[in-house]
Amino acid sequence: MAEKPPLPPKPKPPLPSKPRPKAAARPTTTTTTPAPGSRPAAAPPFKKPTLAPPPQVLPLKPPPAHQYRQQQYPPGGARKHPRPYRQQPPPHRRGGGGGCSCRRACCLATGLALLALCLALAAACLAYLYYRPRAPSFHLQPLSPVRLRLGGGGNSSSVSAMDATVGARVVSWNPNERVAFRYGDGEGRVSLRDADGDVALGWAPVHGFAHAPRTVATVAFVATARGVVLDEGVAARVRDRYRRRQQGFRVVVDAHVGVRVGAISTGMVPIRLLCDDGVMAPRAAAAGSSSSDGGTVVGPMSKCQVLLFRVRWFSLN
């Protein structure tokens, strides 16, 4: 079957024509030819056409100053093309994450320090309960030998010279069962006590020693002095007390001490022994000690004080 031929396209309707504005009618003037021999007629006066009033125009407002910025040109007159506007990215905050990490590190370090402190305190408490450390005690035995030789100054002299030899012995007792002490080398000094002030009689070196648990140790030295000057009043009082064996002395020992607990040892720190109530040994005890080369003197012992770092540590019983 044959296909139907395509239909012809429909013609488009014509667009309506726009009316053209009519031109203003010009005034027509009629010209008449004058008759021969007559005067020509006067032309009518020319009248200007009336104009319409101009439309009212409102004044324009000036644009904002920030929209139209005056371009500044270089003094040479060369004009540069303005750069195209690019949107700036938002500012990046620095240190935001670093501050959090620093705070975490500080909190972690503080926590570790507190934990280590608690563990150290717990270990110290357990060690104290196990070892039960106690301070050693120090006592001064009666001084022996004591030799004071006062030279007479005569009636015209108001001073006297004295030669002295004084032996001192300090006894120490360690009551601990697991704690030992060690003492370094030091020096001992002896002074004569008087109401007008102490009189120094000399010093002597003191050798160090180890003090084992539950043992007794002694520190002994002999101080000598030659030509100690005394006024007549002090010399008279010293002669009287020396004859009656009632002269008082003061003994000071400076050394260093350390503590040893098992295989652990501490450093050495300064220590000072103050024995203010030293007395002379009785004659019989003094003779026995001199014959046996400075043996133990029987008699009342005086208490001593201990200064650790030049600060009073404890009083001995």
Side-chain angles (χ1 to χ4, degrees):
M1 187 175 180
E3 295 181 358
K4 294 181 178 181
L7 297 177
K10 295 181 179 181
K12 294 182 180 181
L15 297 175
S17 60
K18 295 182 180 181
R20 294 183 178 179
K22 296 181 178 181
R26 294 182 180 180
T28 58
T29 58
T30 57
T31 58
T32 58
T33 58
S38 62
R39 299 179 73 179
F46 178 76
K47 293 183 181 180
K48 295 181 178 180
T50 59
L51 300 176
Q56 187 178 4
V57 180
L58 298 176
L60 298 177
K61 294 183 180 181
H66 67 276
Q67 292 185 4
Y68 301 93
R69 296 181 180 177
Q70 185 178 3
Q71 297 182 0
Q72 297 181 1
Y73 301 101
R79 185 173 180 180
K80 297 182 179 179
H81 296 283
R83 296 180 180 178
Y85 174 75
R86 295 181 182 178
Q87 186 177 4
Q88 299 294 334
H92 179 66
R93 295 183 180 179
R94 297 180 179 179
C100 296
S101 61
C102 290
R103 284 193 293 270
R104 293 193 194 98
C106 292
C107 294
L108 181 60
T110 304
L112 292 177
L114 292 177
L115 180 61
L117 180 62
C118 293
L119 292 177
L121 290 177
C125 293
L126 292 177
Y128 178 81
L129 294 177
Y130 178 75
Y131 289 104
R132 295 282 183 175
R134 287 180 290 175
S137 60
F138 295 89
H139 294 80
L140 177 64
Q141 289 185 350
L143 279 72
S144 178
V146 177
R147 301 185 183 92
L148 302 180
R149 184 175 300 174
L150 295 170
N155 297 331
S156 60
S157 178
S158 60
V159 295
S160 300
M162 180 180 63
D163 297 339
T165 300
V166 180
R169 182 184 294 268
V170 179
V171 180
S172 176
W173 160 249
N174 183 8
N176 298 280
E177 295 181 359
R178 301 180 181 91
V179 180
F181 299 93
R182 67 182 191 280
Y183 298 89
D185 296 341
E187 64 177 18
R189 298 187 298 274
V190 179
S191 59
L192 185 146
R193 301 190 63 180
D194 188 75
D196 292 342
D198 296 348
V199 179
L201 299 180
W203 67 278
V206 176
H207 300 288
F209 61 95
H211 201 180
R214 308 292 297 179
T215 57
V216 177
T218 59
V219 179
F221 62 95
V222 177
T224 60
R226 296 288 183 271
V228 179
V229 179
L230 304 175
D231 60 8
E232 194 61 30
V234 175
R237 290 193 295 269
V238 170
R239 286 192 189 96
D240 181 59
R241 290 193 293 262
Y242 180 66
R243 291 192 188 100
R244 293 184 289 133
R245 312 290 294 182
Q246 295 179 357
Q247 177 62 51
F249 296 89
R250 182 181 185 184
V251 178
V252 179
V253 179
D254 288 331
H256 290 76
V257 63
V259 181
R260 181 171 55 84
V261 180
I264 301 175
S265 299
T266 63
M268 307 289 283
V269 296
I271 186 175
R272 171 172 288 186
L273 304 179
L274 295 180
C275 306
D276 294 334
D277 300 331
V279 297
M280 298 175 61
R283 294 184 183 275
S289 63
S290 60
S291 61
S292 60
D293 296 334
T296 303
V297 179
V298 179
M301 295 189 296
S302 59
K303 299 181 295 184
C304 297
Q305 296 179 359
V306 178
L307 300 181
L308 197 64
F309 294 104
R310 300 299 176 90
V311 178
R312 184 173 179 177
W313 185 18
F314 53 84
S315 297
L316 303 173
N317 299 323

